[in-house]
Amino acid sequence: VQLVESGGGLVQVGGSLKLSCSISGFTYGDYAIIWFRQAPGKEREGVSCVSSTDGGTFYAGSVKGRFTMSEDRAGNTVYLQMNNLRPEDTAVYYCATKTKKYYREKLCVVSNGELFYFMDSSGKGTLVTVSS
């Protein structure tokens, strides 16, 4: 599986960016596709997750209402539309895939505003910098 992210860049506070993730070699069965990010000196953070088995698209509390994840299955591409960007959104953004392996396995879970996810493969990321 290969994933290639693009669309990052420098944007001012309140601005918008749309990230793309091109996916190849992935078999769409019971799956999840995830966007996560990592800011300098911080741990990885789940941003959004779409699951074919968990009932839709899930967002971390920190981005809900500002970010929208979408899929273009025909084009094997997922997108992350990011609006009203804040300095704390500055990070390298990655996309990842996960295939469900067990009957009771949950692929995307939100608890107390935090998005929990699992992944099999991820890309190299694209840098988003939000300047104030």
Side-chain angles (χ1 to χ4, degrees):
V1 179
Q2 290 189 324
L3 303 100
V4 180
E5 303 91 343
S6 61
L10 176 64
V11 63
Q12 291 187 330
V13 169
S16 298
L17 279 176
K18 186 173 185 177
L19 306 183
S20 300
C21 173
S22 177
I23 303 171
S24 60
F26 182 60
T27 300
Y28 290 87
D30 292 334
Y31 71 95
I33 301 174
I34 306 102
W35 284 100
F36 66 95
R37 65 188 181 187
Q38 188 162 23
K42 294 189 176 181
E43 295 186 354
R44 287 186 317 205
E45 177 189 13
V47 173
S48 65
C49 181
V50 59
S51 167
S52 68
T53 61
D54 294 336
T57 307
F58 301 81
Y59 298 92
S62 59
V63 306
K64 193 171 185 179
R66 300 187 298 123
F67 290 12
T68 302
M69 182 176 182
S70 59
E71 286 185 276
D72 173 3
R73 286 285 300 272
N76 290 320
T77 303
V78 294
Y79 302 97
L80 185 68
Q81 176 68 47
M82 306 186 297
N83 298 328
N84 192 19
L85 283 160
R86 305 167 180 169
E88 54 265 37
D89 295 319
T90 295
V92 179
Y93 284 72
Y94 303 84
C95 60
T97 57
K98 170 65 180 171
T99 298
K100 184 174 181 176
K101 297 181 175 62
Y102 308 106
Y103 175 70
R104 294 181 184 275
E105 188 177 19
K106 293 287 188 180
L107 304 182
C108 309
V109 178
V110 175
S111 177
N112 293 325
E114 186 174 356
L115 175 64
F116 296 91
Y117 62 94
F118 305 91
M119 63 180 177
D120 296 322
S121 303
S122 66
K124 295 183 178 180
T126 185
L127 176 64
V128 172
T129 304
V130 184
S131 65
S132 56

